[in-house]
Amino acid sequence: MKKFKLTTNKQSILLKPQPYLGVKGLIFFISLMGMFIPLSIDLYLPAMPSMIDYFHTTATLINLTLIAFYIFFAIGIIIFGPLSDKYGRKPILIFGLVLYIIGSIACALSATVYQLILFRVVQALGAGDVMAISTALVKDFFSGKLKSKVLAVVQAMGVIAPMLAPIVGAAILQVAEWRETFWVLAVIGVFTLISGLLFQETLSTEECYNGTLRGSLIRLLVVGKNAGFSLFLFIAAVLAAPYMTYIAMSSYIYENYFALNAQTYSYFFAVNSAFAILGPILYIRSIGRLTPRHFTWWCFIVAIFSGISVLLLGKYSPWIFLLSYLPFTLVEGAIRPFSTNILLDQQNGDVGSASSLINAVHTILGSIGMGLGSLDWINLIHGLGIIIITSVIIAVLFFIILLHSKIEIKGLE
């Protein structure tokens, strides 16, 4: 593995030293931060149908605990990424972790569904802070092909969370209730906070943005004005919509449509999440074998095939539905590290702002997918198939526009 020289004259694959965490500890730390979003969503998915009865409310309000989290998660990403460019990664990260822990505890103590929605917003802002900085740290510490591989490894390790979370959540329901899932999230937040205290700041005083607070937030607009960055980001992120549609719909499809219990549903969900590990592996294997353009086209072809299969065949059994959706899971798992690597290469500075936009746009489009999944579809499976096909068509059209424009994107040869 290629090594990079540090100012300390020691050899390391890190661009900046981390004496307490080390290389493996740092990668695990970044991966753990990347798990906040799937853990915060997937852990209580099996409980959502039963929470309707617990709170004596509607599925729409229970889904709002999911949608509100995702929307304010995006807002947290947008706010805290640029602030980390100004004030440094560590203080902003510690603040976000404390906010997340407070939100998780408050969710566990909620007496009404409205309180739960409110405290999910607090939790989401903290999670957005953590996610924005986790992506920025990859750029801070790694470069070149190594950065591509680390992004893929982090993505693959992050799949462990959505694979295990619903199983753990369903197991919790066997002996306790939904509240315990949020206590588990609070404990994970505390563990991450301890790791964060060992983390050493990556930005020197000279590297931090020295403008005003308002100016640091305006840097988002500066990054966004990069047409190639914004257009390619939209193309990649639009595929997040059907993936989050599946997240919002899956418990109702498996438990209500196919009449499976919460534990069995968690196994189906875990199989889908486990398959997502193959996405980053596929991306790593494609490096040097497929050009970025060819890789993108293959992702589109597989995704449209999956959407058609879900639409036409998914209703016949839970296994057929799962097998129909798995190819899209593969694509979503591959295109995220692939696109993030290319997008980070478009920016020499404002890494925190770039990281914020990357994660925020994925989150915003994902929340739109959740909203679409919450509509009153006559058949939820048909609705999911339609959303997949529509999203892929939109992505293909904008990719064709990009290829025929004069916009240049580094790494998309």
Side-chain angles (χ1 to χ4, degrees):
M1 184 176 290
K2 185 179 179 180
K3 298 184 181 290
F4 297 89
K5 223 176 228 185
L6 299 172
T7 55
T8 59
N9 294 322
K10 293 180 180 180
Q11 295 292 331
S12 173
I13 63 172
L14 298 179
L15 297 178
K16 297 179 181 180
Q18 280 297 308
Y20 298 114
L21 293 177
V23 177
K24 293 181 180 179
L26 178 65
I27 293 176
F28 176 77
F29 179 51
I30 296 174
S31 300
L32 184 60
M33 291 191 287
M35 292 179 185
F36 268 53
I37 178 66
L39 283 173
S40 301
I41 291 176
D42 300 342
L43 194 63
Y44 84 121
L45 282 179
M48 288 179 67
S50 63
M51 288 169 70
I52 297 174
D53 295 329
Y54 183 93
F55 284 115
H56 304 291
T57 187
T58 63
T60 300
L61 279 177
I62 294 299
N63 280 346
L64 195 55
T65 66
L66 202 61
I67 297 171
F69 177 92
Y70 220 59
I71 292 173
F72 281 89
F73 173 71
I75 293 173
I77 290 172
I78 291 172
I79 293 174
F80 293 112
L83 292 184
S84 74
D85 285 336
K86 177 173 175 59
Y87 297 109
R89 309 288 188 227
K90 185 169 182 175
I92 300 300
L93 173 61
I94 297 302
F95 177 79
L97 287 168
V98 171
L99 196 64
Y100 180 85
I101 294 167
I102 292 172
S104 298
I105 293 173
C107 285
L109 298 175
S110 296
T112 69
V113 68
Y114 299 102
Q115 289 181 5
L116 181 59
I117 292 170
L118 174 62
F119 295 135
R120 284 284 280 173
V121 168
V122 176
Q123 188 191 40
L125 291 172
D129 177 320
V130 174
M131 179 59 77
I133 293 177
S134 69
T135 304
L137 291 183
V138 176
K139 175 76 171 180
D140 288 346
F141 285 110
F142 305 98
S143 65
K145 290 184 178 179
L146 182 58
K147 175 163 60 68
S148 302
K149 293 181 178 180
V150 170
L151 281 168
V153 169
V154 170
Q155 176 81 5
M157 290 181 67
V159 170
I160 296 175
M163 180 174 64
L164 296 180
I167 295 178
V168 174
I172 289 173
L173 292 178
Q174 299 294 319
V175 296
E177 58 180 16
W178 60 269
R179 296 181 187 276
E180 275 64 33
T181 62
F182 289 101
W183 285 114
V184 170
L185 293 176
V187 171
I188 293 171
V190 171
F191 179 77
T192 310
L193 176 60
I194 294 171
S195 301
L197 293 173
L198 296 174
F199 168 71
Q200 285 201 333
E201 178 59 59
T202 61
L203 297 183
S204 65
T205 304
E206 294 76 18
E207 291 174 309
C208 288
Y209 175 71
N210 58 8
T212 64
L213 176 61
R214 177 174 176 272
S216 66
L217 294 175
I218 290 177
R219 301 306 298 174
L220 287 166
L221 298 178
V222 175
V223 175
K225 285 182 180 178
N226 182 331
F229 178 94
S230 296
L231 186 54
F232 190 69
L233 172 56
F234 175 79
I235 292 168
V238 76
L239 296 183
Y243 190 77
M244 297 312 298
T245 301
Y246 172 82
I247 297 296
M249 284 181 164
S250 61
S251 61
Y252 300 104
I253 290 174
Y254 284 110
E255 294 184 34
N256 294 343
Y257 186 85
F258 290 122
L260 304 180
N261 60 37
Q263 190 71 55
T264 305
Y265 153 67
S266 71
Y267 297 145
F268 276 90
F269 191 92
V271 170
N272 181 75
S273 298
F275 198 76
I277 296 176
L278 298 179
I281 295 174
L282 177 66
Y283 164 54
I284 292 175
R285 295 290 185 183
S286 74
I287 297 175
R289 300 182 181 184
L290 287 175
T291 67
R293 291 191 184 189
H294 287 155
F295 183 80
T296 306
W297 279 118
W298 273 112
C299 285
F300 291 153
I301 292 170
V302 173
I304 199 74
F305 167 80
S306 178
I308 293 172
S309 298
V310 169
L311 180 64
L312 299 180
L313 304 174
K315 65 180 180 180
Y316 291 109
S317 80
W319 282 108
I320 293 177
F321 171 69
L322 174 66
L323 293 173
S324 298
Y325 188 78
L326 284 180
F328 186 84
T329 298
L330 178 69
V331 167
E332 176 61 15
I335 207 164
R336 185 68 182 263
F338 162 72
S339 61
T340 300
N341 182 55
I342 289 178
L343 290 167
L344 287 175
D345 282 343
Q346 310 310 306
Q347 296 296 130
N348 293 322
D350 297 313
V351 176
S353 296
S355 173
S356 286
L357 285 177
I358 291 169
N359 288 295
V361 172
H362 276 273
T363 303
I364 291 169
L365 292 178
S367 65
I368 292 174
M370 285 184 172
L372 293 173
S374 299
L375 296 177
D376 190 20
W377 296 93
I378 297 175
N379 185 304
L380 292 177
I381 296 175
H382 287 169
L384 177 60
I386 291 170
I387 292 170
I388 294 173
I389 294 169
T390 303
S391 298
V392 176
I393 291 174
I394 292 172
V396 168
L397 290 176
F398 276 90
F399 191 59
I400 292 173
I401 292 172
L402 175 62
L403 294 180
H404 287 83
S405 70
K406 296 182 179 180
I407 298 173
E408 293 185 5
I409 299 182
K410 297 177 185 177
L412 194 64
E413 293 82 11

